[in-house]
Amino acid sequence: MEDLQFLFFVAMLVVSFLYASVGHGGASGYLALMAIFLFPPQEMKINALVMNIAVSGLSFLSFYQQERFQRRIFIKLALLSIPMAMLGGYMQLSSDWFKIALGIVLVLPILKFLGLIPGWKIVERTPGDWMLYAAGASIGLFSGLLGIGGGIILTPLVILLGWSDVKQAAMLSALFIFVNSASGLIGASFGNLEFSDSLIWMVPAVVLGGFAGATMGSQISYTDILKKIIAVVLVFAVYKLWFT
């Protein structure tokens, strides 16, 4: 049992490192690991939100020192995403539906990290207000509902639509994840919060990995091999969620 616990915390550190290097809080990775290690579904969402807040905050500060912050885009995305994330945090899915929805969400980073999402020429463009409001509201609701910050949806969206470059997208997503995770946690606090006893050790692990990943990611891009490793972890998590 102790060996499994050690393996779990090392895996959490590695996942936080990988996700923070691209400006993400890592919630989808934490949820995947918790699914693999058979955490109760009612604890997974709250644990992921807490760790997301810690790591995404570190990521934003690291990228903020290196890149120009797109305040207009962030404010308009966050304006509706914050209350919608709070609503999603308050809402509860049954255990079966939670596993199905989470597995579907995990497919997106799997395809992205394995390079299976076809690329196309990206043309820089300024997004209209209605696009930002719609994107923020929908991602915010989904984020609060599942216990993720929404970065795995927002980052590819803003890059593929030409709203920002890769580094700016990472910084934008980091702060977006932070405020949505905090809002989702507040919403969840109106119901029954169930924290894992092991959260007191999980948070330091992800903070350590997140700090290292954010520091590296704000200066250099992480390699393709790391993308493949995390994709394999996510594939295994989806299998555990859907077929066990």
Side-chain angles (χ1 to χ4, degrees):
M1 179 62 71
E2 290 184 358
D3 290 342
L4 284 177
Q5 289 178 334
F6 177 75
L7 176 61
F8 173 72
F9 291 122
V10 169
M12 294 291 279
L13 189 151
V14 172
V15 166
S16 65
F17 174 87
L18 296 175
Y19 274 80
S21 70
V22 290
H24 288 191
S28 59
Y30 309 144
L31 288 166
L33 286 174
M34 286 187 281
I36 292 171
F37 283 84
L38 304 177
F39 274 63
Q42 64 270 21
E43 293 181 1
M44 291 168 59
K45 173 179 173 179
I46 304 302
N47 292 344
L49 287 172
V50 171
M51 291 185 284
N52 231 21
I53 291 169
V55 176
S56 61
L58 287 172
S59 295
F60 174 74
L61 292 176
S62 296
F63 280 93
Y64 187 76
Q65 297 174 13
Q66 304 290 331
E67 299 294 325
R68 176 177 59 85
F69 183 47
Q70 297 173 301
R71 286 181 175 82
R72 171 188 170 270
I73 292 179
F74 170 76
I75 290 173
K76 293 186 181 298
L77 281 169
L79 190 63
L80 292 182
S81 75
I82 292 174
M84 294 303 286
M86 188 177 299
L87 174 62
Y90 175 73
M91 298 168 62
Q92 296 291 329
L93 285 176
S94 68
S95 177
D96 290 340
W97 279 108
F98 177 84
K99 291 179 179 181
I100 292 171
L102 177 58
I104 293 172
V105 170
L106 292 180
V107 169
L108 178 61
I110 290 171
L111 296 176
K112 181 173 181 288
F113 291 148
L114 290 178
L116 299 178
I117 297 179
W120 57 80
K121 186 176 180 180
I122 300 172
V123 180
E124 287 192 29
R125 56 176 62 88
T126 301
D129 289 352
W130 70 269
M131 296 178 67
L132 295 172
Y133 293 141
S138 56
I139 296 174
L141 178 63
F142 208 56
S143 299
L145 193 62
L146 293 181
I148 62 176
I152 59 172
I153 303 172
L154 182 64
T155 299
L157 178 70
V158 299
I159 293 174
L160 294 176
L161 293 181
W163 296 353
S164 69
D165 61 28
V166 174
K167 288 290 183 71
Q168 289 175 343
M171 178 170 51
L172 187 67
S173 292
L175 189 56
F176 185 82
I177 291 166
F178 180 87
V179 298
N180 281 329
S181 298
S183 182
L185 188 60
I186 292 171
S189 69
F190 290 101
N192 294 321
L193 290 180
E194 294 193 36
F195 296 96
S196 297
D197 293 337
S198 55
L199 188 60
I200 192 173
W201 302 108
M202 293 159 68
V203 171
V206 299
V207 166
L208 179 61
F211 176 77
T215 301
M216 185 197 78
S218 63
Q219 300 175 26
I220 60 175
S221 298
Y222 74 120
T223 62
D224 288 341
I225 188 63
L226 297 180
K227 297 179 185 179
K228 302 299 186 294
I229 292 172
I230 200 167
V232 170
V233 172
L234 294 177
V235 167
F236 187 55
V238 172
Y239 171 78
K240 293 284 287 186
L241 286 167
W242 287 353
F243 301 109
T244 61

